[in-house]
Amino acid sequence: MMPAHCQQAFLSTIALILIANGCAAGGKPAPVDCPISDPSFGSRDDGSGRVEVLFKNDAGYPVDSFWVDGGRKEQQWEQILPGGTLKRNSFPGHGFRIRQVETGITLLEYRVGAGTSSEVRVSIQGCAAADAQELTGGSDWELDPEEVAATRRLVHDQEA
């Protein structure tokens, strides 16, 4: 049995940890600062070997994903809805930039590392400036179950 003064100190420490992590206020950690886009960021040749990159949008709002070419230009735009995923076949050295829709706030710059395994999972997280935005898309982010079912039928029915 722990002495009473130790129990009180232990509980006080746990409470401070929870408060520091934002858990006492709404159960979520405090948002982190958004990364600053690096103007020199781009794809490069870091070796061979195909890598499957799976991006998962854990930000809570839609994001735009881009492959960044060697000239530092954003290419191959694709949107990822909240909770959605995007799979890309890539190579070591390839760079990707993720931005919040509408605002263009950078959430992530990711480069496939040399020696990376053949499959990589990347979680896209929100950040303070992006989390504070009032986006207008709202209900447009919801997937219509009938449209999803129709798309799945088309994807699986090669005769259609």
Side-chain angles (χ1 to χ4, degrees):
M1 181 98 183
M2 188 184 295
H5 69 281
C6 291
Q7 286 178 348
Q8 185 174 10
F10 175 77
L11 293 175
S12 296
T13 302
I14 296 297
L16 287 174
I17 291 170
L18 291 173
I19 290 169
N21 287 321
C23 293
K28 290 185 177 179
V32 297
D33 289 337
C34 296
I36 297 172
S37 286
D38 178 358
S40 67
F41 182 80
S43 290
R44 59 184 188 218
D45 184 4
D46 279 355
S48 61
R50 194 175 77 98
V51 178
E52 185 176 274
V53 183
L54 179 71
F55 292 97
K56 171 114 179 12
N57 182 358
D58 294 317
Y61 34 77
V63 299
D64 292 328
S65 66
F66 301 91
W67 173 69
V68 184
D69 68 19
R72 303 180 193 104
K73 296 199 184 306
E74 295 176 346
Q75 306 287 339
Q76 299 178 347
W77 167 85
E78 197 158 346
Q79 193 172 94
I80 311 171
L81 295 174
T85 59
L86 172 65
K87 192 181 295 186
R88 289 283 195 181
N89 291 318
S90 192
F91 296 91
H94 280 192
F96 296 90
R97 183 173 291 129
I98 309 295
R99 297 181 180 276
Q100 182 182 41
V101 297
E102 297 181 21
T103 68
I105 294 172
T106 299
L107 302 175
L108 173 70
E109 287 182 336
Y110 174 78
R111 178 172 285 120
V112 179
T116 301
S117 68
S118 62
E119 291 183 5
V120 178
R121 295 176 185 264
V122 179
S123 174
I124 302 164
Q125 301 291 321
C127 59
D131 291 350
Q133 300 299 311
E134 291 289 328
L135 302 179
T136 60
S139 63
D140 292 341
W141 306 338
E142 305 294 323
L143 295 175
D144 179 353
E146 290 179 18
E147 288 179 16
V148 171
T151 302
R152 286 188 177 143
R153 284 191 301 273
L154 285 173
V155 169
H156 295 289
D157 181 5
Q158 299 303 314
E159 300 298 317

